Amino acid sequence: MGALTLRGITKRYGTVVACDAVDLDVERGEIHGLLGENGAGKSTLMRILLGLETRDAGTILRDGRPVTAGSPREAVALGIGMVHQHFSLVEPLTVWENVILGDTGRIRRSRACAEIHEMSQRYGLPVDPLATVASLSAGERQRVELIKCLRRDPAVLILDEPTSVLTRAESAELFAVLRRVVRSEGRAVVLISHKLAEITAATDRVTVLRHGRVVFRSATAATDVAELARQMVGREVADAAALGLIPAAPHVPEKAQGDPALRIRGLTAPGLTGIDLEVRPGEIAGLYGAEGNGQAQIGDVLCGLVTPDAGTVEVGGVPVDLRTPGALHTAGLGIVPEDRHRAAVVPAMSVAANLTMKDLGTRVWLDRRRLRRRARELAAEFGVVATSLDAPLSSLSGGNQQRVVLARELSGDPRVLVLAQPTQGLDVGAAEDLHERLRRCAHDGMAVLLISTEIEEVLGLADRVLVIASGRVAGELHAAEATPEQLGMLVGGGAG
Amino acid sequence: MTRTAAWSALALLVSAVLIVATGGSPVEAMQALVRGSVADATAISVTLLYAAPLLLIAAGACVSASAGVFNIGQEGQVLIGALAGAAAGLRLALPGPALIAVVGLAGALAAGFWAWLSALMHRLRGVDIVVSTLLMTFVAQQVVAFAVNTPWLLQESRLGRATVLPQTNKLPPRALLGSLGSYPGLQLNAGLLIAVAAAVSVAVLLTRTRWGFRVTMLGLNPAAAAHSGVRVTVVTGSALAISGTLAGLAGAVLLTSPLSTNRLQPGGTLGLGWDGLLVALIARNRPLLAIPVALLFAVLRSGGSFLAATGVPSYLADIVKALLVLAFVAPRVPWRRLAVA
Ligand SMILES: Nc1ncnc2c1ncn2[C@@H]1O[C@H](COP(=O)(O)OP(=O)(O)OP(=O)(O)O)[C@@H](O)[C@H]1O
Ligand SMILES: [Mg+2]
């Protein structure tokens, strides 16, 4: 008898069928991988389970009994817990406050902290209970979400792309934790991820959705990455980095010429000490390092959200006044920040508005016809799937929201393009397309800075790899000499 | 929608219970409300007179709230608008139409500047805008009290041995807003036209202009707005100034409308500043939606004064209003989300 059985779950949004008669069986003691391209209906299916959406048809069985959760609180009572694709923490509050949020009865800080401490020991999820969530990196926030969820002791734990912001080592640790949770504590885990290598390594069985339907199920041992990719996007995916594999042949660097298009000198800000880096037109420079070593801060500075204590940023040889809003954008810098929801999108505004918000024109009146046309073109070019361009951005699937940001930033034809974790949340097909596009951009003379925690991506794309550790640039390698071992040493060396 | 209806029904039920509890009859109260507000041409005229300043204030509140700036100082801004309007109307010797325009302009500009001061305080000292706009209301009350108590400022002239009151002289008739055409009994005051035009302009401004786009973006995600080049302090300041401007215009309209004594008096706003804020709240900061809501509030205003005749305390009209506000806001509270959190 399955811990969780879904039969014929169907959900429609207007004309879009997000879930189409989905059957799913999750056994006690297994990690079940749920795959599918962007917008396939994975998150929707899980939100139905959790009582965040109502289903149009179908039954849900928990340990063989039909159940319906009307709200996440009822889902908790049914033993179903979920960590969402996008963070749902309250930023101004501390970690412990977030973890106990929703508890009833007396609040005792010391007990909450002790409990968090104990859990982080048991599951290997180090976090400071007294820290404010606003000050945490994405990886740390992810841990808080996990602790918050595990503390409610769910029998079925749903993780929606939990590792998209974790490093490989952190993910490996997480999966070790999940194994333990599954084997010795007898829970069931549903894991949604676009990282296929991770799926094949961590799961016992997999189910693939496409356009809301189950198109493939298998024991993980009986399938492989290439087949899963094919089942997901319906074509062969050749790009190793998109599949999460280390490229077989070393990357041959493009010839970078001319003066640096982006030059950062002595950049010092909270979490960063004296960062120097240059990116030339026509090259892809990788900035690789474990999460929480200053990448987010570099992103914040280049987004214009944080004014550095010292240092300069030059675009095309001209220093940029970082205190002027939008100065970097005007200077020709496009950026896809790591935490898209914070600075890159306005979720409550329409898809069209989000696609065009940096390109409103110079006149008092908006040229709505032009903006619409532009939005339609971009959505088509980048494969943004939306019920309508007037729908709020928040109604898009996670991967489609990411496509919106990419479309906007890449289409501005920037001189310098900075991308932090650009394939986060993209399905393998879209990741392959993006990698192709980045190579083409660089080939056409754009300077690309790729900030990534994914070694495969860095090795597959970058002509030159800078390693960041503890807020400093710890070393630099050329593509020809960069190997996983070498990069690993630099990452570790900088931290020590 | 159905939920809003259910909550409104509940609010009306509670109101009925309260009326019974205070010894009145809900049916009579309802009749009085209708008689005072829409039963005949005179009542309708009064209702429309109330609607004009309410709508102006609400349209302004829509602008600031869209920018994520909560201006709750409309009451004070209305007063400042009336003060500046009275000063202009009493001191300037201009021909009729020009004087009307100048009175309105003076009220609008003065209150716009007054509201902008809060943005300035926020910029310079980080003073919270909600707090400062509220406190500036009390400052405005003091300023007006001073002006109408000081003979060499605006206090009414002493005629013979009559006692002078803390109020200004009556504005000359040529400074007053007339009605547009004359229908038997029904007066359509020019103030309403101004208010509707303002609401439509605000709607156009917010949805069709670059500035409006930026305001909306700022209100929904300040970080994203800053990132895409919105100068936050400028946009915040201008949004506040516009909301103050419209409240000040409401003050001038009120001063020159047949509703008032056409003198500046400390209590002359009739508390409409607060009501206008509630109108915007119910209209979810959408200026066009504010038009019917302002009319509803005007009905409660004009009908409310008739309640007393039925033996129901007239403050019950305020309670009904408050309950209605709650009924409209309640369906938007994410009850489920609260239950989870
Ligand atoms: N609230 C909503 N309103 C309208 N459409 C929605 C809503 N939520 C989801 N959808 C649509 O349902 C479809 C499935 O979305 P879902 O979020 O489940 O995809 P997903 O498989 O999780 O994709 P991703 O990998 O990108 O996260 C999408 O086409 C999406 O646009
Ligand atoms: Mg999803």
Side-chain angles (χ1 to χ4, degrees):
Chain A
M1 182 172 57
L4 182 69
T5 309
L6 306 186
R7 286 287 170 263
I9 302 287
T10 299
K11 174 77 191 176
R12 281 187 200 85
Y13 291 106
T15 54
V16 176
V17 187
C19 300
D20 191 356
V22 174
D23 294 348
L24 182 72
D25 298 277
V26 184
E27 304 294 331
R28 188 184 277 263
E30 80 165 350
I31 301 183
H32 195 109
L34 184 60
L35 304 179
E37 59 189 343
N38 293 136
K42 307 177 295 291
S43 297
T44 304
L45 189 64
M46 295 301 119
R47 287 166 57 82
I48 289 172
L49 264 180
L50 219 68
L52 285 167
E53 293 285 359
T54 51
R55 57 183 186 267
D56 297 335
T59 35
I60 302 172
L61 306 168
R62 259 280 291 133
D63 287 336
R65 272 181 306 117
V67 295
T68 295
S71 72
R73 172 168 284 212
E74 288 174 37
V76 168
L78 295 171
I80 304 173
M82 174 157 173
V83 174
H84 289 273
Q85 186 166 6
H86 301 299
F87 297 130
S88 50
L89 299 173
V90 186
E91 291 204 12
L93 297 186
T94 60
V95 168
W96 74 266
E97 286 165 332
N98 265 287
V99 169
I100 64 157
L101 206 65
D103 279 15
T104 46
R106 222 175 119 202
I107 292 169
R108 296 234 308 273
R109 185 174 77 166
S110 55
R111 207 182 55 203
C113 290
E115 205 179 329
I116 292 170
H117 197 71
E118 189 267 329
M119 295 203 43
S120 52
Q121 292 280 308
R122 174 148 55 112
Y123 294 114
L125 299 164
V127 65
D128 172 11
L130 296 178
T132 322
V133 167
S135 72
L136 299 185
S137 71
E140 290 166 317
R141 288 177 198 212
Q142 183 63 271
R143 283 179 225 151
V144 178
E145 293 267 15
L146 266 171
I147 289 179
K148 180 170 172 155
C149 187
L150 282 169
R151 185 169 160 272
R152 307 236 161 107
D153 195 29
V156 180
L157 176 60
I158 302 164
L159 302 171
D160 196 350
E161 302 191 31
T163 60
S164 52
V165 294
L166 304 186
T167 57
R168 240 220 304 213
E170 284 171 326
S171 309
E173 259 167 46
L174 171 68
F175 291 125
V177 171
L178 291 184
R179 276 270 146 240
R180 199 145 13 115
V181 162
V182 164
R183 287 282 140 73
S184 55
E185 300 181 4
R187 300 178 206 265
V189 170
V190 178
L191 176 66
I192 299 177
S193 175
H194 288 295
K195 298 186 185 172
L196 296 179
E198 193 173 278
I199 289 285
T200 50
T203 63
D204 302 303
R205 286 194 303 146
V206 288
T207 299
V208 178
L209 293 181
R210 192 175 340 142
H211 302 311
R213 279 169 191 278
V214 176
V215 292
F216 182 71
R217 3 176 115 78
S218 165
T220 310
T223 179
D224 60 18
V225 167
E227 168 157 43
L228 288 176
R230 196 166 52 243
Q231 294 293 354
M232 272 172 73
V233 297
R235 63 169 158 101
E236 294 291 338
V237 176
D239 181 34
L243 293 173
L245 303 174
I246 303 274
H251 177 70
V252 184
E254 291 268 340
K255 284 273 169 291
Q257 342 79 355
D259 294 332
L262 174 69
R263 179 188 273 145
I264 298 179
R265 286 252 165 281
L267 188 70
T268 303
L272 296 175
T273 0
I275 298 278
D276 287 320
L277 69 83
E278 290 181 352
V279 190
R280 284 170 200 289
E283 77 169 343
I284 302 181
L287 186 66
Y288 171 73
E291 171 67 42
N293 277 283
Q295 296 100 318
Q297 284 79 356
I298 291 188
D300 281 353
V301 169
L302 294 180
C303 270
L305 296 178
V306 167
T307 327
D309 302 330
T312 56
V313 175
E314 286 174 23
V315 176
V318 183
V320 179
D321 178 8
L322 295 172
R323 282 162 312 180
T324 312
L328 284 160
H329 173 68
T330 317
L333 181 129
I335 181 163
V336 178
E338 179 180 332
D339 187 349
R340 272 108 51 188
H341 280 91
R342 192 151 62 100
V345 294
V346 185
M349 287 177 92
S350 70
V351 176
N354 275 282
L355 279 167
T356 53
M357 69 188 202
K358 285 193 176 173
D359 177 31
L360 297 176
T362 48
R363 285 200 233 121
V364 169
W365 298 97
L366 293 176
D367 183 348
R368 304 213 300 172
R369 186 118 26 97
R370 179 183 69 83
L371 293 180
R372 263 209 96 65
R373 183 158 19 90
R374 186 92 186 101
R376 206 169 321 115
E377 282 165 15
L378 287 176
E381 186 181 345
F382 285 80
V384 176
V385 182
T387 39
S388 140
L389 288 178
D390 297 319
L393 184 90
S394 55
S395 74
L396 295 194
S397 81
N400 278 303
Q401 296 185 13
Q402 170 73 340
R403 290 175 195 203
V404 167
V405 180
L406 287 167
R408 187 185 65 216
E409 298 298 326
L410 266 68
S411 66
D413 209 9
R415 195 195 281 257
V416 180
L417 182 63
V418 179
L419 306 111
Q421 315 292 6
T423 50
Q424 191 183 97
L426 293 186
D427 65 42
V428 281
E432 184 179 50
D433 291 346
L434 175 68
H435 288 161
E436 236 355 275
R437 194 182 285 272
L438 289 182
R439 290 193 189 102
R440 217 164 46 234
C441 285
H443 184 80
D444 296 343
M446 202 182 279
V448 180
L449 177 63
L450 173 71
I451 305 178
S452 179
T453 55
E454 312 236 357
I455 200 163
E456 300 83 3
E457 190 167 61
V458 170
L459 289 176
L461 281 175
D463 306 318
R464 194 157 56 86
V465 184
L466 297 141
V467 175
I468 185 169
S470 307
R472 304 168 179 276
V473 176
E476 182 178 336
L477 294 171
H478 275 269
E481 54 190 23
T483 60
E485 295 72 31
Q486 287 231 303
L487 288 175
M489 265 166 55
L490 280 173
V491 167
Chain B
M1 211 52 231
T2 49
R3 289 217 282 163
T4 306
W7 283 99
S8 307
L10 183 67
L12 290 177
L13 187 70
V14 174
S15 311
V17 169
L18 282 175
I19 289 170
V20 172
T22 51
S25 140
V27 178
E28 277 179 32
M30 198 62 192
Q31 283 167 346
L33 208 60
V34 171
R35 210 169 332 122
S37 60
V38 290
D40 55 53
T42 323
I44 293 177
S45 307
V46 174
T47 301
L48 295 181
L49 285 175
Y50 276 115
L54 280 172
L55 182 55
L56 277 169
I57 296 164
C62 292
V63 176
S64 51
S66 297
V69 197
F70 293 99
N71 173 11
I72 59 167
Q74 279 83 1
E75 182 72 5
Q77 290 145 20
V78 169
L79 265 178
I80 293 294
L83 172 66
L90 291 169
R91 293 287 156 87
L92 299 177
L94 291 172
L99 189 60
I100 291 178
V102 168
V103 167
L105 208 61
L109 291 180
F113 175 74
W114 187 262
W116 177 78
L117 288 177
S118 292
L120 189 68
M121 287 189 266
H122 179 70
R123 175 75 212 274
L124 296 181
R125 292 258 170 257
V127 184
D128 190 84
I129 286 180
V130 177
V131 173
S132 69
T133 50
L134 178 64
L135 294 184
M136 288 292 274
T137 296
F138 301 117
V139 178
Q141 285 167 351
Q142 295 305 316
V143 169
V144 168
F146 180 73
V148 297
N149 277 300
T150 312
W152 49 269
L153 277 174
L154 288 172
Q155 191 169 27
E156 66 177 329
S157 339
R158 183 180 294 273
L159 295 170
R161 310 198 51 195
T163 47
V164 286
L165 297 171
Q167 61 183 17
T168 61
N169 284 337
K170 224 170 161 59
L171 258 68
R174 71 196 145 85
L176 303 185
L177 278 178
S179 48
L180 299 169
S182 186
Y183 312 93
L186 182 72
Q187 283 189 51
L188 204 55
N189 193 268
L192 188 66
L193 200 70
I194 297 177
V196 172
V200 173
S201 311
V202 165
V204 170
L205 193 65
L206 286 177
T207 54
R208 300 292 167 102
T209 66
R210 199 155 57 110
W211 182 83
F213 190 99
R214 294 188 161 156
V215 162
T216 314
M217 204 161 44
L218 181 64
L220 293 170
N221 186 349
H227 166 56
S228 46
V230 174
R231 281 181 296 169
V232 177
T233 46
V234 174
V235 175
T236 308
S238 50
L240 254 180
I242 288 184
S243 81
T245 300
L246 291 177
L249 194 55
V253 164
L254 194 57
L255 178 76
T256 55
S257 120
L259 265 187
S260 77
T261 54
N262 304 128
R263 298 165 186 271
L264 175 65
Q265 291 168 322
T269 60
L270 311 171
L272 286 175
W274 307 118
D275 272 17
L277 194 56
L278 294 181
V279 170
L281 185 68
I282 290 190
R284 306 178 185 192
N285 300 324
R286 272 178 284 183
L288 296 182
L289 217 54
I291 298 175
V293 180
L295 281 173
L296 175 68
F297 269 60
V299 163
L300 286 172
R301 271 276 171 171
S302 51
S305 46
F306 265 59
L307 272 183
T310 65
V312 172
S314 61
Y315 59 75
L316 260 176
D318 289 332
I319 297 183
V320 173
K321 204 159 59 194
L323 284 169
L324 275 181
V325 172
L326 287 176
F328 275 85
V329 176
R332 275 184 280 158
V333 174
W335 296 112
R336 280 196 180 187
R337 199 91 65 75
L338 286 185
V340 195

